[in-house]
């Protein structure tokens, strides 16, 4: 009778162990999927930035420093490999983009440019 109880306890522990393992694998996959989604959104954002910079260049030729800082920030963000580096690079990129949008406010023709408006709204929607 004790052998049956011991076997039953071992079976219960094995089932519990397998259940926990499966749950951990599922959670790990969810985390990887979430990071993949974040990486896809960041890549989309990084791909739109050169188009925005080129659009602004035509209007704001003397705002070279702002444009260069956006390009540098994008390069940093694309090259970031750890979560902390990505976070820091994205904060830097956000600041550079805010400066770029502030420069765009000074150019009424640029604000009315359809291409600029479309790129700006795409970048904004990606960030949400």
């Amino acid at each position: 009778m004790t052998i049956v109880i011991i076997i039953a306890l071992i079976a219960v522990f094995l089932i519990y162990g397998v259940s926990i393992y499966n749950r951990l694998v599922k959670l790990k996959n969810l985390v990887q999927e979430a990071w993949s989604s974040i990486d896809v959104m960041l890549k989309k954002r990084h791909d739109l930035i050169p188009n925005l910079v080129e659009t602004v260049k035509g209007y704001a030729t003397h705002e070279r420093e702002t444009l260069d800082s956006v390009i540098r920030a994008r390069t940093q963000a694309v090259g970031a490999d750890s979560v902390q580096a990505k976070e820091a690079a994205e904060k830097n990129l956000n600041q550079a983009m805010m400066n770029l949008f502030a420069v765009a406010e000074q150019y009424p023709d640029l604000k009315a440019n359809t291409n600029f408006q479309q790129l700006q709204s795409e970048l904004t929607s990606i960030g949400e």
Side-chain angles (χ1 to χ4, degrees), residues 74-115:
R74 177 192 178 269
T75 302
Q76 271 185 330
V78 169
D81 54 358
S82 70
V83 174
Q84 291 82 9
K86 283 183 183 182
E87 180 183 10
E90 288 301 321
K91 282 182 183 178
N92 189 20
L93 182 57
N94 284 339
Q95 184 61 45
M97 293 301 296
M98 287 183 357
N99 291 342
L100 180 65
F101 291 145
V103 165
E105 291 292 320
Q106 299 171 7
Y107 296 89
D109 291 342
L110 176 59
K111 285 177 22 180
N113 183 297
T114 308
N115 190 30

mmCIF file of all heavy atoms in Angstrom, residues 74-115:
data_model
loop_
_atom_site.group_PDB
_atom_site.id
_atom_site.type_symbol
_atom_site.label_atom_id
_atom_site.label_comp_id
_atom_site.label_asym_id
_atom_site.label_seq_id
_atom_site.Cartn_x
_atom_site.Cartn_y
_atom_site.Cartn_z
ATOM 1 N N ARG A 74 19.093 58.369 -34.807
ATOM 2 C CA ARG A 74 18.545 57.199 -35.489
ATOM 3 C C ARG A 74 19.610 56.121 -35.611
ATOM 4 O O ARG A 74 19.354 54.946 -35.385
ATOM 5 C CB ARG A 74 18.039 57.570 -36.876
ATOM 6 C CG ARG A 74 17.523 56.352 -37.628
ATOM 7 C CD ARG A 74 17.281 56.647 -39.108
ATOM 8 N NE ARG A 74 16.848 55.455 -39.797
ATOM 9 C CZ ARG A 74 17.669 54.600 -40.389
ATOM 10 N NH1 ARG A 74 18.973 54.792 -40.348
ATOM 11 N NH2 ARG A 74 17.199 53.535 -41.009
ATOM 12 N N THR A 75 20.836 56.520 -35.970
ATOM 13 C CA THR A 75 21.934 55.558 -36.102
ATOM 14 C C THR A 75 22.189 54.857 -34.772
ATOM 15 O O THR A 75 22.388 53.643 -34.743
ATOM 16 C CB THR A 75 23.207 56.270 -36.593
ATOM 17 O OG1 THR A 75 22.916 56.909 -37.841
ATOM 18 C CG2 THR A 75 24.340 55.291 -36.782
ATOM 19 N N GLN A 76 22.172 55.612 -33.694
ATOM 20 C CA GLN A 76 22.343 55.021 -32.363
ATOM 21 C C GLN A 76 21.221 54.041 -32.062
ATOM 22 O O GLN A 76 21.459 52.959 -31.546
ATOM 23 C CB GLN A 76 22.316 56.107 -31.279
ATOM 24 C CG GLN A 76 23.626 56.713 -30.948
ATOM 25 C CD GLN A 76 23.464 57.690 -29.782
ATOM 26 O OE1 GLN A 76 22.400 58.293 -29.607
ATOM 27 N NE2 GLN A 76 24.514 57.851 -29.015
ATOM 28 N N ALA A 77 19.996 54.427 -32.364
ATOM 29 C CA ALA A 77 18.836 53.585 -32.065
ATOM 30 C C ALA A 77 18.865 52.285 -32.870
ATOM 31 O O ALA A 77 18.549 51.218 -32.343
ATOM 32 C CB ALA A 77 17.540 54.346 -32.341
ATOM 33 N N VAL A 78 19.261 52.374 -34.128
ATOM 34 C CA VAL A 78 19.329 51.170 -34.959
ATOM 35 C C VAL A 78 20.430 50.246 -34.451
ATOM 36 O O VAL A 78 20.279 49.018 -34.465
ATOM 37 C CB VAL A 78 19.571 51.542 -36.444
ATOM 38 C CG1 VAL A 78 19.908 50.325 -37.271
ATOM 39 C CG2 VAL A 78 18.355 52.248 -37.019
ATOM 40 N N GLY A 79 21.527 50.804 -33.957
ATOM 41 C CA GLY A 79 22.655 49.996 -33.512
ATOM 42 C C GLY A 79 22.550 49.479 -32.083
ATOM 43 O O GLY A 79 23.374 48.676 -31.657
ATOM 44 N N ALA A 80 21.540 49.919 -31.343
ATOM 45 C CA ALA A 80 21.409 49.484 -29.945
ATOM 46 C C ALA A 80 21.087 48.001 -29.882
ATOM 47 O O ALA A 80 20.247 47.506 -30.633
ATOM 48 C CB ALA A 80 20.318 50.289 -29.248
ATOM 49 N N ASP A 81 21.783 47.288 -28.982
ATOM 50 C CA ASP A 81 21.578 45.847 -28.934
ATOM 51 C C ASP A 81 20.981 45.341 -27.622
ATOM 52 O O ASP A 81 20.374 44.292 -27.594
ATOM 53 C CB ASP A 81 22.889 45.108 -29.235
ATOM 54 C CG ASP A 81 24.014 45.555 -28.327
ATOM 55 O OD1 ASP A 81 23.817 46.453 -27.499
ATOM 56 O OD2 ASP A 81 25.121 44.991 -28.458
ATOM 57 N N SER A 82 21.105 46.081 -26.543
ATOM 58 C CA SER A 82 20.517 45.636 -25.281
ATOM 59 C C SER A 82 19.256 46.452 -25.002
ATOM 60 O O SER A 82 19.034 47.503 -25.605
ATOM 61 C CB SER A 82 21.515 45.799 -24.140
ATOM 62 O OG SER A 82 21.713 47.166 -23.859
ATOM 63 N N VAL A 83 18.448 45.973 -24.083
ATOM 64 C CA VAL A 83 17.214 46.665 -23.740
ATOM 65 C C VAL A 83 17.529 48.060 -23.189
ATOM 66 O O VAL A 83 16.887 49.047 -23.576
ATOM 67 C CB VAL A 83 16.399 45.851 -22.712
ATOM 68 C CG1 VAL A 83 15.185 46.624 -22.235
ATOM 69 C CG2 VAL A 83 15.979 44.522 -23.311
ATOM 70 N N GLN A 84 18.536 48.152 -22.331
ATOM 71 C CA GLN A 84 18.892 49.450 -21.758
ATOM 72 C C GLN A 84 19.419 50.400 -22.831
ATOM 73 O O GLN A 84 19.087 51.592 -22.837
ATOM 74 C CB GLN A 84 19.954 49.289 -20.653
ATOM 75 C CG GLN A 84 19.455 48.598 -19.413
ATOM 76 C CD GLN A 84 19.461 47.074 -19.532
ATOM 77 O OE1 GLN A 84 19.984 46.514 -20.487
ATOM 78 N NE2 GLN A 84 18.872 46.405 -18.557
ATOM 79 N N ALA A 85 20.224 49.878 -23.740
ATOM 80 C CA ALA A 85 20.754 50.717 -24.817
ATOM 81 C C ALA A 85 19.627 51.183 -25.741
ATOM 82 O O ALA A 85 19.619 52.337 -26.179
ATOM 83 C CB ALA A 85 21.813 49.952 -25.616
ATOM 84 N N LYS A 86 18.682 50.295 -26.028
ATOM 85 C CA LYS A 86 17.543 50.674 -26.869
ATOM 86 C C LYS A 86 16.716 51.754 -26.191
ATOM 87 O O LYS A 86 16.295 52.713 -26.828
ATOM 88 C CB LYS A 86 16.659 49.462 -27.161
ATOM 89 C CG LYS A 86 17.206 48.541 -28.208
ATOM 90 C CD LYS A 86 16.253 47.410 -28.507
ATOM 91 C CE LYS A 86 16.874 46.457 -29.504
ATOM 92 N NZ LYS A 86 15.972 45.375 -29.868
ATOM 93 N N GLU A 87 16.494 51.594 -24.892
ATOM 94 C CA GLU A 87 15.706 52.585 -24.160
ATOM 95 C C GLU A 87 16.376 53.958 -24.209
ATOM 96 O O GLU A 87 15.732 54.968 -24.514
ATOM 97 C CB GLU A 87 15.519 52.142 -22.711
ATOM 98 C CG GLU A 87 14.716 53.121 -21.880
ATOM 99 C CD GLU A 87 14.599 52.720 -20.431
ATOM 100 O OE1 GLU A 87 15.281 51.781 -19.999
ATOM 101 O OE2 GLU A 87 13.814 53.369 -19.725
ATOM 102 N N ALA A 88 17.672 53.996 -23.937
ATOM 103 C CA ALA A 88 18.401 55.264 -23.949
ATOM 104 C C ALA A 88 18.417 55.870 -25.357
ATOM 105 O O ALA A 88 18.207 57.076 -25.528
ATOM 106 C CB ALA A 88 19.821 55.059 -23.439
ATOM 107 N N ALA A 89 18.658 55.037 -26.357
ATOM 108 C CA ALA A 89 18.717 55.525 -27.735
ATOM 109 C C ALA A 89 17.353 56.045 -28.192
ATOM 110 O O ALA A 89 17.269 57.065 -28.883
ATOM 111 C CB ALA A 89 19.206 54.412 -28.662
ATOM 112 N N GLU A 90 16.284 55.359 -27.810
ATOM 113 C CA GLU A 90 14.948 55.805 -28.205
ATOM 114 C C GLU A 90 14.573 57.116 -27.508
ATOM 115 O O GLU A 90 13.923 57.970 -28.103
ATOM 116 C CB GLU A 90 13.905 54.723 -27.918
ATOM 117 C CG GLU A 90 13.984 53.533 -28.861
ATOM 118 C CD GLU A 90 13.808 53.898 -30.319
ATOM 119 O OE1 GLU A 90 12.973 54.759 -30.656
ATOM 120 O OE2 GLU A 90 14.513 53.302 -31.155
ATOM 121 N N LYS A 91 14.990 57.295 -26.260
ATOM 122 C CA LYS A 91 14.741 58.569 -25.580
ATOM 123 C C LYS A 91 15.471 59.695 -26.311
ATOM 124 O O LYS A 91 14.912 60.776 -26.533
ATOM 125 C CB LYS A 91 15.209 58.502 -24.126
ATOM 126 C CG LYS A 91 14.254 57.774 -23.225
ATOM 127 C CD LYS A 91 14.756 57.773 -21.791
ATOM 128 C CE LYS A 91 13.827 56.989 -20.896
ATOM 129 N NZ LYS A 91 14.302 56.931 -19.509
ATOM 130 N N ASN A 92 16.710 59.439 -26.704
ATOM 131 C CA ASN A 92 17.499 60.422 -27.446
ATOM 132 C C ASN A 92 16.844 60.722 -28.789
ATOM 133 O O ASN A 92 16.751 61.879 -29.215
ATOM 134 C CB ASN A 92 18.929 59.896 -27.619
ATOM 135 C CG ASN A 92 19.858 60.938 -28.186
ATOM 136 O OD1 ASN A 92 19.592 62.119 -28.130
ATOM 137 N ND2 ASN A 92 20.964 60.475 -28.745
ATOM 138 N N LEU A 93 16.369 59.680 -29.452
ATOM 139 C CA LEU A 93 15.710 59.851 -30.750
ATOM 140 C C LEU A 93 14.407 60.637 -30.592
ATOM 141 O O LEU A 93 14.106 61.508 -31.408
ATOM 142 C CB LEU A 93 15.448 58.489 -31.399
ATOM 143 C CG LEU A 93 14.803 58.501 -32.778
ATOM 144 C CD1 LEU A 93 15.634 59.297 -33.765
ATOM 145 C CD2 LEU A 93 14.603 57.075 -33.274
ATOM 146 N N ASN A 94 13.647 60.350 -29.551
ATOM 147 C CA ASN A 94 12.410 61.097 -29.313
ATOM 148 C C ASN A 94 12.699 62.584 -29.137
ATOM 149 O O ASN A 94 11.984 63.434 -29.677
ATOM 150 C CB ASN A 94 11.681 60.565 -28.072
ATOM 151 C CG ASN A 94 10.969 59.267 -28.344
ATOM 152 O OD1 ASN A 94 10.676 58.928 -29.473
ATOM 153 N ND2 ASN A 94 10.692 58.525 -27.290
ATOM 154 N N GLN A 95 13.745 62.894 -28.382
ATOM 155 C CA GLN A 95 14.106 64.305 -28.168
ATOM 156 C C GLN A 95 14.516 64.963 -29.487
ATOM 157 O O GLN A 95 14.101 66.082 -29.790
ATOM 158 C CB GLN A 95 15.244 64.414 -27.144
ATOM 159 C CG GLN A 95 15.619 65.827 -26.802
ATOM 160 C CD GLN A 95 14.472 66.599 -26.174
ATOM 161 O OE1 GLN A 95 13.779 66.104 -25.304
ATOM 162 N NE2 GLN A 95 14.254 67.814 -26.641
ATOM 163 N N ALA A 96 15.303 64.259 -30.277
ATOM 164 C CA ALA A 96 15.731 64.799 -31.570
ATOM 165 C C ALA A 96 14.532 65.015 -32.489
ATOM 166 O O ALA A 96 14.456 66.022 -33.206
ATOM 167 C CB ALA A 96 16.753 63.865 -32.215
ATOM 168 N N MET A 97 13.583 64.076 -32.460
ATOM 169 C CA MET A 97 12.392 64.211 -33.308
ATOM 170 C C MET A 97 11.530 65.393 -32.845
ATOM 171 O O MET A 97 10.974 66.111 -33.671
ATOM 172 C CB MET A 97 11.577 62.916 -33.287
ATOM 173 C CG MET A 97 12.284 61.732 -33.943
ATOM 174 S SD MET A 97 12.709 62.020 -35.669
ATOM 175 C CE MET A 97 11.093 62.194 -36.373
ATOM 176 N N MET A 98 11.427 65.590 -31.538
ATOM 177 C CA MET A 98 10.662 66.745 -31.033
ATOM 178 C C MET A 98 11.312 68.042 -31.504
ATOM 179 O O MET A 98 10.617 68.990 -31.898
ATOM 180 C CB MET A 98 10.554 66.686 -29.510
ATOM 181 C CG MET A 98 9.598 65.609 -29.060
ATOM 182 S SD MET A 98 9.256 65.407 -27.286
ATOM 183 C CE MET A 98 10.257 66.540 -26.439
ATOM 184 N N ASN A 99 12.649 68.088 -31.493
ATOM 185 C CA ASN A 99 13.351 69.272 -31.988
ATOM 186 C C ASN A 99 13.086 69.474 -33.478
ATOM 187 O O ASN A 99 12.892 70.608 -33.936
ATOM 188 C CB ASN A 99 14.850 69.151 -31.744
ATOM 189 C CG ASN A 99 15.210 69.229 -30.276
ATOM 190 O OD1 ASN A 99 14.425 69.681 -29.459
ATOM 191 N ND2 ASN A 99 16.401 68.751 -29.939
ATOM 192 N N LEU A 100 13.070 68.385 -34.228
ATOM 193 C CA LEU A 100 12.812 68.460 -35.667
ATOM 194 C C LEU A 100 11.396 68.972 -35.935
ATOM 195 O O LEU A 100 11.192 69.839 -36.788
ATOM 196 C CB LEU A 100 13.009 67.086 -36.318
ATOM 197 C CG LEU A 100 12.769 67.014 -37.820
ATOM 198 C CD1 LEU A 100 13.797 67.868 -38.555
ATOM 199 C CD2 LEU A 100 12.832 65.582 -38.301
ATOM 200 N N PHE A 101 10.423 68.466 -35.172
ATOM 201 C CA PHE A 101 9.049 68.935 -35.362
ATOM 202 C C PHE A 101 8.917 70.401 -34.949
ATOM 203 O O PHE A 101 8.137 71.149 -35.550
ATOM 204 C CB PHE A 101 8.061 68.060 -34.589
ATOM 205 C CG PHE A 101 7.929 66.662 -35.164
ATOM 206 C CD1 PHE A 101 7.723 65.580 -34.332
ATOM 207 C CD2 PHE A 101 8.015 66.430 -36.524
ATOM 208 C CE1 PHE A 101 7.605 64.292 -34.847
ATOM 209 C CE2 PHE A 101 7.903 65.154 -37.054
ATOM 210 C CZ PHE A 101 7.688 64.082 -36.212
ATOM 211 N N ALA A 102 9.687 70.816 -33.958
ATOM 212 C CA ALA A 102 9.678 72.229 -33.558
ATOM 213 C C ALA A 102 10.237 73.094 -34.679
ATOM 214 O O ALA A 102 9.712 74.189 -34.953
ATOM 215 C CB ALA A 102 10.470 72.426 -32.276
ATOM 216 N N VAL A 103 11.290 72.639 -35.336
ATOM 217 C CA VAL A 103 11.855 73.380 -36.478
ATOM 218 C C VAL A 103 10.824 73.447 -37.596
ATOM 219 O O VAL A 103 10.647 74.488 -38.240
ATOM 220 C CB VAL A 103 13.153 72.703 -36.973
ATOM 221 C CG1 VAL A 103 13.551 73.210 -38.349
ATOM 222 C CG2 VAL A 103 14.276 72.931 -35.979
ATOM 223 N N ALA A 104 10.105 72.356 -37.811
ATOM 224 C CA ALA A 104 9.100 72.329 -38.883
ATOM 225 C C ALA A 104 7.996 73.345 -38.632
ATOM 226 O O ALA A 104 7.421 73.883 -39.580
ATOM 227 C CB ALA A 104 8.508 70.922 -38.998
ATOM 228 N N GLU A 105 7.708 73.625 -37.373
ATOM 229 C CA GLU A 105 6.684 74.618 -37.049
ATOM 230 C C GLU A 105 7.063 76.010 -37.566
ATOM 231 O O GLU A 105 6.191 76.847 -37.786
ATOM 232 C CB GLU A 105 6.459 74.675 -35.531
ATOM 233 C CG GLU A 105 5.807 73.444 -34.948
ATOM 234 C CD GLU A 105 4.369 73.283 -35.381
ATOM 235 O OE1 GLU A 105 3.644 74.295 -35.441
ATOM 236 O OE2 GLU A 105 3.977 72.148 -35.685
ATOM 237 N N GLN A 106 8.350 76.251 -37.738
ATOM 238 C CA GLN A 106 8.814 77.566 -38.192
ATOM 239 C C GLN A 106 8.641 77.755 -39.704
ATOM 240 O O GLN A 106 8.870 78.848 -40.211
ATOM 241 C CB GLN A 106 10.286 77.763 -37.829
ATOM 242 C CG GLN A 106 10.542 77.722 -36.343
ATOM 243 C CD GLN A 106 12.032 77.707 -36.031
ATOM 244 O OE1 GLN A 106 12.867 77.847 -36.923
ATOM 245 N NE2 GLN A 106 12.362 77.527 -34.770
ATOM 246 N N TYR A 107 8.283 76.700 -40.401
ATOM 247 C CA TYR A 107 8.186 76.754 -41.864
ATOM 248 C C TYR A 107 6.754 76.416 -42.287
ATOM 249 O O TYR A 107 6.402 75.255 -42.418
ATOM 250 C CB TYR A 107 9.173 75.776 -42.502
ATOM 251 C CG TYR A 107 10.605 76.137 -42.212
ATOM 252 C CD1 TYR A 107 11.251 75.642 -41.075
ATOM 253 C CD2 TYR A 107 11.307 77.000 -43.045
ATOM 254 C CE1 TYR A 107 12.561 75.994 -40.787
ATOM 255 C CE2 TYR A 107 12.610 77.353 -42.763
ATOM 256 C CZ TYR A 107 13.230 76.849 -41.635
ATOM 257 O OH TYR A 107 14.520 77.198 -41.354
ATOM 258 N N PRO A 108 5.936 77.427 -42.529
ATOM 259 C CA PRO A 108 4.530 77.176 -42.894
ATOM 260 C C PRO A 108 4.385 76.323 -44.150
ATOM 261 O O PRO A 108 3.490 75.493 -44.232
ATOM 262 C CB PRO A 108 3.948 78.578 -43.116
ATOM 263 C CG PRO A 108 4.910 79.509 -42.468
ATOM 264 C CD PRO A 108 6.239 78.836 -42.437
ATOM 265 N N ASP A 109 5.277 76.522 -45.113
ATOM 266 C CA ASP A 109 5.200 75.723 -46.340
ATOM 267 C C ASP A 109 5.459 74.247 -46.045
ATOM 268 O O ASP A 109 4.842 73.372 -46.642
ATOM 269 C CB ASP A 109 6.213 76.209 -47.383
ATOM 270 C CG ASP A 109 5.841 77.579 -47.933
ATOM 271 O OD1 ASP A 109 4.676 77.980 -47.779
ATOM 272 O OD2 ASP A 109 6.733 78.228 -48.498
ATOM 273 N N LEU A 110 6.381 73.996 -45.136
ATOM 274 C CA LEU A 110 6.694 72.616 -44.769
ATOM 275 C C LEU A 110 5.520 71.989 -44.034
ATOM 276 O O LEU A 110 5.160 70.842 -44.290
ATOM 277 C CB LEU A 110 7.951 72.562 -43.896
ATOM 278 C CG LEU A 110 8.351 71.182 -43.349
ATOM 279 C CD1 LEU A 110 8.592 70.201 -44.489
ATOM 280 C CD2 LEU A 110 9.588 71.302 -42.480
ATOM 281 N N LYS A 111 4.914 72.736 -43.124
ATOM 282 C CA LYS A 111 3.769 72.204 -42.385
ATOM 283 C C LYS A 111 2.626 71.844 -43.328
ATOM 284 O O LYS A 111 1.861 70.935 -43.055
ATOM 285 C CB LYS A 111 3.286 73.222 -41.354
ATOM 286 C CG LYS A 111 4.185 73.311 -40.150
ATOM 287 C CD LYS A 111 3.812 74.341 -39.124
ATOM 288 C CE LYS A 111 2.429 74.821 -39.083
ATOM 289 N NZ LYS A 111 2.150 75.822 -38.061
ATOM 290 N N ALA A 112 2.519 72.561 -44.434
ATOM 291 C CA ALA A 112 1.452 72.301 -45.395
ATOM 292 C C ALA A 112 1.822 71.189 -46.381
ATOM 293 O O ALA A 112 0.964 70.725 -47.125
ATOM 294 C CB ALA A 112 1.121 73.578 -46.164
ATOM 295 N N ASN A 113 3.079 70.763 -46.387
ATOM 296 C CA ASN A 113 3.544 69.735 -47.312
ATOM 297 C C ASN A 113 2.887 68.393 -46.973
ATOM 298 O O ASN A 113 2.988 67.907 -45.860
ATOM 299 C CB ASN A 113 5.071 69.633 -47.223
ATOM 300 C CG ASN A 113 5.640 68.631 -48.195
ATOM 301 O OD1 ASN A 113 5.351 67.453 -48.107
ATOM 302 N ND2 ASN A 113 6.457 69.111 -49.100
ATOM 303 N N THR A 114 2.217 67.803 -47.949
ATOM 304 C CA THR A 114 1.485 66.554 -47.739
ATOM 305 C C THR A 114 2.406 65.423 -47.317
ATOM 306 O O THR A 114 2.073 64.642 -46.420
ATOM 307 C CB THR A 114 0.746 66.154 -49.040
ATOM 308 O OG1 THR A 114 -0.016 67.264 -49.488
ATOM 309 C CG2 THR A 114 -0.160 64.977 -48.795
ATOM 310 N N ASN A 115 3.559 65.320 -47.956
ATOM 311 C CA ASN A 115 4.513 64.267 -47.624
ATOM 312 C C ASN A 115 4.968 64.388 -46.171
ATOM 313 O O ASN A 115 5.023 63.407 -45.437
ATOM 314 C CB ASN A 115 5.712 64.327 -48.575
ATOM 315 C CG ASN A 115 6.611 63.123 -48.454
ATOM 316 O OD1 ASN A 115 6.170 62.031 -48.123
ATOM 317 N ND2 ASN A 115 7.892 63.318 -48.729
#
